[in-house]
C-alpha cells in the first residue's frame, strides 16, 4: 500500500451493542408510557420549556408501536422537533426506533454517500438519540397530567 493511501473500513452493525441499546431504551421507556396500552392513549410531559407527547399507535399481544413527538407551539418548523415512531417488543424486552423525522423506514446500514446523505450508522445514531433523550426526560421531566 502506497503512502497517503488509506482503505476506508466498511461500516458493519455491532449486533450486541445495538441490542444492549434496544434493551436499555425499553427499560427507560416503560415508566413514561401511558398506563393503558389502548390505541390513542397518550401521556404528556414538560421538560423545562418543551412539551412532549407519547401516544400509543398500535397495540398487539407482543408489540406496541408508539409515537414520541415534541408538541411545543413555538415558532420552530416541524422538522426541527423530535418525532419518532418506536416499536416495543415485549417478549424480547427491546425498543427499536422504526422511523425518525422524515425517514419513514430506517435501514441498519447505509452506503455513503447516498442520495439523502444518511450516515452509515443512521439507525444506531437515532436509537442512541432516543436513549439520551429518555435519560434527559427521566431526570428533568414532569408529567403534565395527574394521571397518564
Amino acid at each position: 500500500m502506497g503512502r497517503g493511501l488509506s482503505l476506508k473500513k466498511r461500516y458493519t452493525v455491532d449486533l450486541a451493542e445495538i441490542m444492549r441499546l434496544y434493551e436499555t431504551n425499553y427499560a427507560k421507556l416503560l415508566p413514561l408510557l401511558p398506563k393503558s396500552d389502548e390505541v390513542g392513549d397518550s401521556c404528556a410531559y414538560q421538560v423545562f420549556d418543551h412539551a412532549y407527547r407519547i401516544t400509543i399507535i398500535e397495540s398487539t399481544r407482543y408489540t406496541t408501536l408508539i409515537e414520541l413527538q415534541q408538541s411545543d407551539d413555538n415558532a420552530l418548523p416541524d422538522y426541527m422537533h423530535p418525532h419518532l415512531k418506536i416499536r416495543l417488543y415485549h417478549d424480547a424486552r427491546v425498543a427499536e426506533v422504526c422511523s425518525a423525522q422524515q425517514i419513514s423506514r430506517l435501514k441498519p446500514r447505509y452506503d455513503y454517500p447516498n442520495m439523502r446523505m444518511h450516515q452509515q450508522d443512521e439507525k444506531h445514531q437515532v436509537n442512541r438519540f432516543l436513549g439520551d433523550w429518555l435519560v434527559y426526560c427521566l431526570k428533568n421531566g414532569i408529567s403534565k397530567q395527574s394521571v397518564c
Side-chain angles (χ1 to χ4, degrees):
M1 184 157 66
R3 296 183 77 178
L5 206 64
S6 67
L7 296 176
K8 188 171 183 176
K9 185 178 177 186
R10 183 178 170 153
Y11 171 75
T12 56
V13 177
D14 182 341
L15 190 57
E17 182 181 343
I18 203 154
M19 289 308 292
R20 276 191 303 277
L21 182 58
Y22 290 174
E23 289 169 353
T24 57
N25 285 349
Y26 182 88
K28 291 172 192 169
L29 266 170
L30 285 182
L32 298 173
L33 294 177
K35 300 297 180 225
S36 163
D37 64 348
E38 296 293 318
V39 173
D41 284 353
S42 66
C43 276
Y45 297 95
Q46 189 73 33
V47 184
F48 296 113
D49 294 334
H50 302 289
Y52 296 94
R53 179 168 296 283
I54 295 175
T55 305
I56 307 286
I57 298 176
E58 177 185 297
S59 181
T60 67
R61 185 174 181 182
Y62 298 108
T63 68
T64 303
L65 182 65
I66 63 170
E67 181 177 58
L68 173 100
Q69 61 187 23
Q70 187 173 344
S71 54
D72 295 342
D73 292 328
N74 60 21
L76 286 176
D78 284 345
Y79 70 88
M80 296 288 289
H81 292 173
H83 183 208
L84 307 171
K85 287 188 181 168
I86 304 149
R87 184 164 307 276
L88 290 89
Y89 299 90
H90 303 297
D91 53 345
R93 302 188 62 78
V94 296
E96 171 188 23
V97 176
C98 300
S99 68
Q101 304 307 92
Q102 294 82 19
I103 308 171
S104 61
R105 184 181 219 145
L106 288 162
K107 294 180 183 179
R109 185 186 64 76
Y110 290 91
D111 290 329
Y112 193 82
N114 55 69
M115 266 180 59
R116 299 203 183 255
M117 296 306 291
H118 296 310
Q119 296 297 312
Q120 291 178 326
D121 64 342
E122 189 88 18
K123 184 170 189 159
H124 187 88
Q125 287 187 37
V126 170
N127 280 280
R128 210 170 37 222
F129 167 77
L130 172 62
D132 293 344
W133 183 86
L134 290 169
V135 167
Y136 175 74
C137 285
L138 289 167
K139 283 183 180 177
N140 304 297
I142 56 170
S143 174
K144 289 178 68 174
Q145 299 142 321
S146 59
V147 177
C148 282

